[in-house]
Amino acid sequence: MMRRFLAFLFCVILTPAVLAHPAPDGFADLAERLSPAVVNISAAQRLDSGNGLPEFPEGSPLERFNDIFGDAPRIANSLGSGFIIDPEGLVVTNNHVIDGADEVEVSLPDGRVFAADVVGIDPVTDLAVLRMQVNEPLPSVAFGDSDTARVGDWVIAIGNPFGLGGTLTAGVVSARGREAGGRYDDYIQTDVAINTGNSGGPLFNMSGDVIGVNTLILSPTGASVGISLSIPSNIATRVVDQLIEFGETRRGWLGVSVHRVTAELAESFELDTPHGAIVSRVEEGGPADAAGLRQGDLVLRFDGRRVRDSQSFPRMVAESEIGREVEIEIIRRDRPMTLDITIGELEEEGGAGAPEDEDNDGVVDPTPGNGNTILGMTLGVLDAPARRRYRVDPDAVGVLVTEVDPASDAAGKIRPGDVVEEVEFTRVETVADIREIVSGHGGGPIRFQINRGGQYVLQSIRP
């Protein structure tokens, strides 16, 4: 009897928490309230007829068609979605929807069509802002806080798939922090059906706030298979505000490249979990160089915030106020340090150097080493012929890796052509130097500083 009573009491206590966010009965009220602010985007690009259409030769039976088609420009059209964020006619959409367009039209659900001017674009995040030429206030929606979206929350998308305007689809947040190869990716993943034409449309939460901009899908077929990605509103709002104010984006810059902290590196730095970012390159004359940041520094906190990984760190820097001085907490050769760095401005066209995880995919012919193998790495002399063969960075000084045993822990971490410059933060110039440090290591992963084509890479290898 007592067991039954406790089971009943347990259910009574937990029931309110379980039912705190019940599944909605439907989305009709949200659709009625939000749909008027979701628009269809039509972008037209005029193509040069002289390069596009064939010209029939003189005397040909088809010569007369030259007069018909010769001066007629071809029009390339694209369709997408967008949403009004200001009653005066400001519209947010994807950059790829209007990229290269000469004319842009915005169609409202009530049938009205307005010409639109491009206020600004940001190809990096694939966002664009348009301004409709209107004479009266229009329905609008507002951005919400995407950080509040949790995996499992209900969300809806309204858009223009395949030209079918006003289409609502629903689902849940499937994951957060997804990447798709972009510099500042931090997508919200959902199972909401998104198809061609949905690009640029809003992702709503159950309060009717825009928490994402639908931008792409992952699919082997090109159609929705339940993996849709949206730009979080907390990224979109910063970009949109800058496009409205400046007509372009202005991002913070330090002049560094970074790479990720592996589980082995985290262990070697005595971190509880892998987090932070390893500095792989410092651009000469940049803000990081001026502040004293060095290759191999492990960045743990930036402006008081924990650095989650090497992907989030560039976003944190980019979102920082230009000209502001911030504190950055690092570990340098196992010693904690704090540096003050003044945020510079990123020049988008010039970039900030090679990406932190850039691979050197050039094929080189393997050269046998001198028989010295340590931890699965065959090591050789870094002489002039070896530098030419492996395209070694001219500033690299150390011991050349010529082969890597695929069964060793070094496989996938070290490559032929890498130059070992330091082991456990001690400079090495010969194989004997490396062997002495490895043999005297007390156990656990051993850290190798690698020069890979001028990029600094820190790897931990287990004996």
Side-chain angles (χ1 to χ4, degrees), residues 257-260 262 265 278-281 295-296 355-360 412-415 418-422 425 447-460:
S257 295
V258 296
H259 70 82
R260 70 188 184 96
T262 63
L265 281 174
I278 300 288
V279 176
S280 60
R281 189 181 68 89
Q295 291 180 336
E356 61 272 11
D357 58 352
E358 184 177 28
D359 292 334
N360 179 10
K413 301 175 182 178
I414 307 297
R415 307 172 188 169
D418 286 349
V419 176
V420 179
E421 295 190 332
E422 293 185 4
F425 304 117
R447 290 168 289 191
F448 283 73
Q449 173 186 325
I450 302 299
N451 186 316
R452 180 176 294 161
Q455 287 278 343
Y456 176 99
V457 179
L458 186 65
Q459 296 286 17
S460 283

Side-chain angles (χ1 to χ4, degrees), residues 95-96 99 120-128 239 243 249 251 349:
N95 173 62
H96 75 258
D99 186 31
I121 62 172
D122 181 37
V124 176
T125 56
D126 194 20
L127 289 168
V239 173
L243 293 179
T249 52
R251 293 187 169 92
E349 292 299 323

Side-chain angles (χ1 to χ4, degrees), residues 14-42:
L14 290 186
T15 297
V18 172
L19 298 179
H21 299 283
D25 295 329
F27 307 101
D29 291 340
L30 280 174
E32 184 176 355
R33 174 161 62 94
L34 303 174
S35 291
V38 182
V39 299
N40 299 342
I41 309 292
S42 176

Side-chain angles (χ1 to χ4, degrees), residues 341-363:
I341 296 183
T342 301
I343 305 297
E345 182 174 355
L346 176 65
E347 297 293 336
E348 295 287 358
E349 292 299 323
E356 61 272 11
D357 58 352
E358 184 177 28
D359 292 334
N360 179 10
D361 293 326
V363 178

